[in-house]
Amino acid sequence: MGRNRIIFWFSLDVFQTKQHCQPISSTKKSSREIQLNFNIMDIYRIDVSCKYITRDLGSKISDKFVDKNKKCSASSLTKDLNKKIQNSLSKREVNLYFLNLNKSISFDPFNNDKDFDMFNDLKLGGLWKPKLDPGKECNLDNIDHVVFVVPYSHSRYENLKLFLINMHSYLQKYQYPFSYKILVVEQVDMESKFNKGRLINSAVKHIIDSRENADCIVIHDVDLVPSNDGNKLGESGDYRCRKMPWHLSRKVFNIKTNQERLYNQFLTGGILSLRLEHFIKVNGFSNEYFGWGAEDDDFQVRMFNQKLCIMRPELREQPSFKMLPHESSKASNTRFSYLSNALNRYEQDGLSNIDNLVEIKSIDHLKAFTYLKVKVKK
């Protein structure tokens, strides 16, 4: 059977996705739509094949992306893995996570003087490691280490406060803990419009250059926090590594609008976990998207092009994450023109050329997070 061609349609009024399995010449196009012809891959075939992969991401996915020495990595998801991890934990109080939405809480993320209980066990830079009994099967060398990459601008200060308080509380109380660090990357000059892709690439380049032993990175919007305790969220709130990219924020409740949002199968915004080598394989994010919109879609195209399945938890009745109130960003008018030739640029545009496009102004290891300040060049 010949290779099918998939055409995406992006309306400038309402975003929508349509699949076609017909020749491009037979397709008509509205003047208000942009046709994206990804003819070097079969997106539909890749996405459908992902649906047949077992939910535990087992034997049908190649093990070549997994460190064989990390026998307690969730990417293996052996039948008794979670029991092994829990048996290796030092005794600790069983505390449940409760969402904190108190904006008036006295906490300045950039001031190390204020003490919070959930920060007591943190090392500088927002690094946390679970306490494991020596001699047990799981130790710090063979459990997952995850770095959370959080793009940030100063207009989201209140979001950052609640994000840090809730995330540290949630992650330290998670039933199957792992080592983690939170890395916040801010665009400090706003002479240029906000460029999320360059911030993420800068953060990952820092992780690589500092030789941090990161198994996975989680690209996490600062306005999303877990809605409930991890015991109740199950796999939809499990940030641990997978063998393939893992889109957690499939269903989100927007506090400001009091509405739920369901991400469809071709969207990966919000919270995306992936192995560091996968990020390198696709050359990271595009550096060309200024303003809001489409950089996540571009990244999705890159992953499909490298035959990476985007896995998603089973859909839950209740949203697994809540979106904190914030001012909406203005969409970029040029986003679809860049997206239309995403595959023509990806080898030269991304992690490989980020050093020429940004200037690292400072790196601070604060109590609750590592703080990377980046100047984006015009």
Side-chain angles (χ1 to χ4, degrees), residues 226-276:
S227 61
N228 211 325
D229 185 69
N231 292 322
K232 295 182 180 179
L233 293 181
E235 67 167 5
S236 63
D238 190 347
Y239 284 103
R240 292 180 295 172
C241 293
R242 298 298 197 274
K243 293 183 181 180
M244 285 287 169
W246 181 241
H247 184 224
L248 285 88
S249 53
R250 187 174 183 184
K251 196 174 186 181
V252 170
F253 181 82
N254 188 321
I255 296 174
K256 184 176 180 179
T257 63
N258 199 35
Q259 294 178 330
E260 295 179 0
R261 177 183 180 183
L262 178 63
Y263 284 81
N264 69 36
Q265 67 191 54
F266 292 111
L267 294 180
T268 55
I271 307 171
L272 179 69
S273 168
L274 71 160
R275 306 194 71 82
L276 182 59

Side-chain angles (χ1 to χ4, degrees), residues 209-220:
D209 291 346
S210 60
R211 298 186 177 182
E212 179 150 4
N213 185 27
D215 299 294
C216 288
I217 58 172
V218 178
I219 302 167
H220 206 302

Side-chain angles (χ1 to χ4, degrees), residues 53-59 61 75 242-244 246 311:
I53 296 171
T54 53
R55 277 186 60 193
D56 64 356
L57 311 185
S59 60
I61 297 182
S75 58
R242 298 298 197 274
K243 293 183 181 180
M244 285 287 169
W246 181 241
M311 306 302 296

Side-chain angles (χ1 to χ4, degrees), residues 292-326:
W292 178 86
E295 71 283 331
D296 296 318
D297 302 305
D298 187 298
F299 192 65
Q300 167 99 313
V301 171
R302 293 176 180 226
M303 289 189 287
F304 274 136
N305 188 47
Q306 293 297 324
K307 308 264 189 311
L308 295 176
C309 295
I310 291 85
M311 306 302 296
R312 292 172 174 83
E314 287 295 303
L315 196 59
R316 297 171 52 84
E317 290 184 9
Q318 300 297 322
S320 301
F321 296 90
K322 290 195 175 183
M323 180 178 290
L324 302 172
H326 61 274

